[in-house]
Amino acid sequence: MRFIVTWLSMAVSMTVNGVFRELILKRFFASRVSDVMSAIIGVVLIGLITRVGFRPFNISTSTVTLITTSVLLVVLTVVFESTLALFVDHKSWSEIGAHYNLRRGELWSLVLAFLALTPFIWGRWLPHAAS
């Protein structure tokens, strides 16, 4: 249950972050600057939410549990974002895929990589920080 609440909190906060980027940041900054700012805000939000949500993890949490949590976080997030992009923003699969293209300077893959690391950050590398 804690995992679901943590993930839902991230989904809501990251959706709000995306709306904030599109409606506010892009009015005052260039698109690229807005995207970078939004990615930084996203990483901070993910870090704060997972710090609280993954409190049960500690140094003795199994590697399998951490990997499973990591994979579930990323899969749920990609499915959620792709669903929103397809049915709300009416984007094509190629437009969705382009959002993950690091060679084009897209930062979403890096945000997902950070998300994937959070179970290890709070459960293995900095377990005392989550207490």
Side-chain angles (χ1 to χ4, degrees):
M1 185 64 170
R2 190 173 185 112
F3 172 85
I4 293 168
V5 170
T6 300
W7 183 82
L8 285 173
S9 298
M10 283 188 297
V12 169
S13 68
M14 293 302 286
T15 301
V16 170
N17 181 34
V19 170
F20 177 71
R21 178 189 63 238
E22 296 301 318
L23 297 180
I24 306 295
L25 292 177
K26 287 191 175 180
R27 287 185 186 196
F28 298 102
F29 302 99
S31 183
R32 184 72 189 135
V33 172
S34 298
D35 290 344
V36 170
M37 291 171 68
S38 182
I40 292 168
I41 292 167
V43 166
V44 169
L45 289 170
I46 289 168
L48 292 171
I49 292 167
T50 58
R51 181 176 189 263
V52 173
F54 294 157
R55 229 181 237 153
F57 290 156
N58 58 48
I59 201 76
S60 65
T61 301
S62 76
T63 301
V64 171
T65 299
L66 296 174
I67 291 170
T68 302
T69 302
S70 178
V71 169
L72 280 172
L73 284 170
V74 172
V75 168
L76 285 172
T77 301
V78 170
V79 168
F80 176 74
E81 187 190 63
S82 298
T83 301
L84 282 180
L86 281 169
F87 298 110
V88 176
D89 290 339
H90 307 290
K91 295 194 176 186
S92 68
W93 283 109
S94 62
E95 289 173 305
I96 294 169
H99 192 55
Y100 295 88
N101 190 341
L102 273 172
R103 284 190 256 167
R104 282 191 34 209
E106 295 292 335
L107 300 175
W108 184 240
S109 294
L110 297 176
V111 175
L112 282 177
F114 176 73
L115 175 62
L117 288 174
T118 59
F120 294 92
I121 292 169
W122 304 125
R124 188 64 44 89
W125 303 326
L126 300 172
H128 60 282
S131 302

